[in-house]
Amino acid sequence: MTHQVRAVVARGKGAPVSLETIVVPDPGPGEALVKVEACGVCHTDLHYREGGINDDFPFLLGHEAAGVVESVGEGVTDVAPGDFVILNWRAVCGQCRACLRGRPWYCFATHNAKQKMTLLDGTELSPALGIGAFAEKTLVAAGQCTKVDRAASAAAAGLLGCGVMAGIGAAINTGQVGRGDSVAVIGCGGVGAAAVVGSNLAGASRIVAVDIDDAKLETARKLGATHTVNASETDPVEAIRELTGGFGADVVIEAVGRPETYVQAFHARDLAGTVVLVGVPTPEMKLELPLLDVFGRGGALKSSWYGDCLPSRDFPMLIDLYLQGRLDLDAFVTETIALDEVEKAFERMHRGDVLRSVVTF
């Protein structure tokens, strides 16, 4: 049996997305069919539309999602029909060298559904990050489904599927921010704002938010930043040092993904401090740093993949904090939109006036 559902498709590089009817198969072994309830509009989806990820068009966009499992294939035991789940794009294999070393968040063989979703004419679709959730239903590997408390809002919960988890995890998992630490976050879009939240959850005593947009800085302050710096008006490195006793921050999180801001992050950390790169660079970007400075400043230079999260561990924990009122995921939902408004949401993203637009069904 197959299912015909509405979905958002990117047919060609740079072309506006289209709302189309696609065909979704019933789940096979190890797969799950999920009825999508909400899906955030993430910058990665725009990267796919612009051909910045690869050129495997047409793409079925959307990946930051929550919904309800409708059916499962043979051999699936971790989730069942009726479960409320957050979708993740790093379903761990349990067998690769990272998993066997007890570091499944680095899994080198993550998996997706084997069957393909298609257009009505049989053209195979490439689902964004192996999910494709700008659709009424999507087919994923069962390991991409993490069961969480049904009491959570789908619009808020789905954001843990990518951007919010990336930011919170960059602080807690990758940066290992501890009680009393000083933290600077460069770039306060959705991921950077989430890094502010993560630093606050971890007990940082001083959180310096850096951006060139005063509105984003005000949002960061509401989410827990103790200080803000407008980098278009003030040298952010000097400002961070001044706010940290002249030393620099213990952890600096770069959430822009540009060489210029990474160099600022490098120089804004304390001796033996940590830089975490969670902003995603483009392929042509190059970084130049004096090697003697890399040696002399010590510490750690890290990149954060998906906030180094383990969905089975982190998603339920963060949803519990949300339901306890200790994690304001609702603050990240700027607006809820219909499925046919994704292209408009991309335009708003370009203008920088949203944390997240969320498609709800």
Side-chain angles (χ1 to χ4, degrees):
M1 178 180 172
T2 59
H3 308 258
Q4 293 189 7
V5 301
R6 295 182 309 145
V8 173
V9 175
R11 283 184 171 266
K13 183 175 181 178
V17 298
S18 54
L19 185 61
E20 307 200 22
T21 298
I22 68 167
V23 179
V24 182
D26 267 344
E31 297 174 341
L33 179 68
V34 177
K35 186 177 186 297
V36 180
E37 292 190 357
C39 184
V41 182
C42 176
H43 205 275
T44 302
D45 294 304
L46 185 58
H47 277 321
Y48 273 103
R49 195 202 73 172
E50 296 300 308
I53 306 294
N54 57 53
D55 59 358
D56 294 335
F57 290 95
F59 291 112
L60 172 57
L61 299 183
H63 60 279
E64 198 175 67
V68 174
V69 175
E70 189 166 287
S71 58
V72 298
E74 181 183 346
V76 175
T77 57
D78 289 342
V79 291
D83 285 348
F84 178 60
V85 297
I86 299 172
L87 301 183
N88 74 81
W89 47 268
R90 287 185 59 79
V92 302
C93 72
Q95 300 297 320
C96 72
R97 61 194 185 279
C99 289
L100 293 177
R101 292 171 66 191
R103 301 173 183 174
W105 49 90
Y106 292 138
C107 179
F108 301 131
T110 56
H111 51 279
N112 303 315
K114 290 184 170 60
Q115 298 185 88
K116 293 291 187 179
M117 294 177 277
T118 69
L119 297 173
L120 285 175
D121 64 4
T123 301
E124 292 186 350
L125 292 163
S126 299
L129 292 175
I131 292 177
F134 286 152
E136 293 165 322
K137 297 179 184 181
T138 190
L139 183 73
V140 295
Q144 293 179 275
C145 301
T146 304
K147 182 179 178 181
V148 296
D149 194 321
R150 170 68 270 190
S153 156
L159 301 186
L160 291 178
C162 190
V164 172
M165 184 70 253
I168 291 176
I172 294 177
N173 296 331
T174 314
Q176 297 182 334
V177 174
R179 294 188 299 274
D181 281 352
S182 59
V183 179
V185 178
I186 298 178
C188 294
V191 173
V196 168
V197 169
S199 301
N200 194 34
L201 282 172
S205 62
R206 184 157 298 201
I207 304 170
V208 183
V210 180
D211 205 284
I212 58 173
D213 186 322
D214 284 331
K216 290 182 180 179
L217 291 173
E218 179 58 28
T219 298
R221 188 176 285 276
K222 290 177 181 176
L223 291 172
T226 59
H227 300 79
T228 59
V229 175
N230 188 318
S232 68
E233 302 170 354
T234 305
D235 182 333
V237 175
E238 292 304 316
I240 292 167
R241 285 179 176 168
E242 183 177 341
L243 290 167
T244 53
F247 302 115
D250 297 308
V251 180
V252 183
I253 299 168
E254 202 279 4
V256 181
R258 294 194 58 84
E260 304 93 328
T261 44
Y262 188 91
V263 170
Q264 290 173 345
F266 178 82
H267 290 293
R269 68 182 175 129
D270 197 358
L271 286 172
T274 298
V275 174
V276 176
L277 174 64
V278 67
V280 182
T282 53
E284 76 281 0
M285 290 180 179
K286 304 292 183 184
L287 177 67
E288 185 173 330
L289 285 170
L291 191 57
L292 183 60
D293 285 357
V294 174
F295 173 79
R297 297 188 68 80
L301 307 178
K302 298 182 175 182
S303 58
S304 185
W305 301 343
Y306 203 2
D308 289 339
C309 79
L310 185 60
S312 60
R313 174 196 65 196
D314 294 340
F315 289 3
M317 173 194 69
L318 293 172
I319 289 297
D320 284 347
L321 292 176
Y322 166 67
L323 293 174
Q324 293 165 17
R326 297 164 63 192
L327 172 58
D328 189 4
L329 293 176
D330 294 317
F332 289 87
V333 182
T334 307
E335 62 176 357
T336 57
I337 62 173
L339 190 58
D340 61 1
E341 295 179 287
V342 169
E343 187 65 34
K344 291 180 181 178
F346 284 150
E347 294 171 6
R348 289 202 68 186
M349 184 188 297
H350 267 308
R351 295 198 299 269
D353 57 356
V354 294
L355 281 181
R356 273 298 184 268
S357 303
V358 181
V359 173
T360 55
F361 295 84

